[in-house]
Amino acid sequence: MKKIITIFLFIFSLNINSQTIIAPPNMDSKELMVGFMALHKFIGDSNLVVVVQPNTPLYYGMQGLTQQYHKNFYTISISDKIIDKKIRLWVLLHEIGHVIDFHSGRLNEHPPMWEGNPIDDDIPWMLRPWEISAEDWALMMWLRLVDTNPYIPFYIEE
């Protein structure tokens, strides 16, 4: 894993001047297209690089994970246990919501901060403001970019 990250960081250091999603060839083309459009429309930074790992063995109950390596370099992992295409697309947009919050500075990974305050891990998952923000972003992106009714997790209040 360190070799892969090192390679991507090297590529990133070459002054790439176009927004890029790096994904394996077997990634669903609709997921890839919607992900690219979401990043382009909602961030628009031409130096942004996101590596998507669409079939990652994550811990039970974890659907996705976003990590920030640099202001313009992120990885998004989606659980290999998610089969439903609508749920997979929602998870991707949720994780892109985290990228938006990281990129804007609202969310920080090192040190873990939300809007300038240390992250409290004791807050229940569904009440964490950075998770609520990612869900809000996912809904907004879905409504603008996807032509079907959104998959809305049961814990979002409308």
Side-chain angles (χ1 to χ4, degrees):
M1 184 66 173
K2 284 185 179 182
K3 282 185 180 181
I4 292 172
I5 291 170
T6 303
I7 290 169
F8 287 123
L9 287 175
F10 172 74
I11 291 170
F12 182 70
S13 70
L14 296 176
N15 247 346
I16 297 172
N17 286 320
S18 64
Q19 196 172 60
T20 306
I21 292 182
I22 300 171
N26 64 341
M27 182 171 174
D28 182 86
S29 59
K30 182 176 182 178
E31 289 176 14
L32 189 59
M33 180 183 67
V34 170
F36 180 79
M37 289 187 321
L39 291 167
H40 180 73
K41 187 171 196 82
F42 289 89
I43 295 180
D45 186 333
S46 64
N47 293 313
L48 191 73
V49 176
V50 177
V51 178
V52 179
Q53 302 167 49
N55 294 299
T56 306
L58 297 175
Y59 290 109
Y60 177 78
M62 183 180 281
Q63 294 184 324
L65 175 68
T66 298
Q67 294 181 292
Q68 178 185 35
Y69 294 94
H70 179 274
K71 179 176 173 45
N72 291 326
F73 184 71
Y74 305 86
T75 61
I76 293 176
S77 301
I78 300 174
S79 174
D80 59 353
K81 293 169 187 63
I82 304 172
I83 306 298
D84 186 286
K85 289 182 182 247
K86 214 171 187 180
I87 296 173
R88 290 183 58 79
L89 189 54
W90 183 271
V91 170
L92 176 64
L93 292 176
H94 172 101
E95 298 305 324
I96 290 172
H98 287 311
V99 172
I100 293 168
D101 286 338
F102 276 129
H103 192 267
S104 71
R106 289 181 77 196
L107 180 61
N108 293 322
E109 192 165 13
H110 305 289
M113 306 275 277
W114 172 253
E115 294 185 334
N117 299 309
I119 284 180
D120 180 0
D121 289 328
D122 293 331
I123 299 173
W125 198 268
M126 295 180 286
L127 299 177
R128 294 176 177 194
W130 55 94
E131 295 299 335
I132 293 169
S133 176
E135 289 292 295
D136 290 345
W137 281 117
L139 180 58
M140 186 184 316
M141 289 183 277
W142 190 291
L143 293 174
R144 290 196 185 167
L145 303 173
V146 183
D147 59 356
T148 62
N149 290 330
Y151 162 79
I152 299 178
F154 69 93
Y155 58 85
I156 293 185
E157 294 182 20
E158 296 186 59

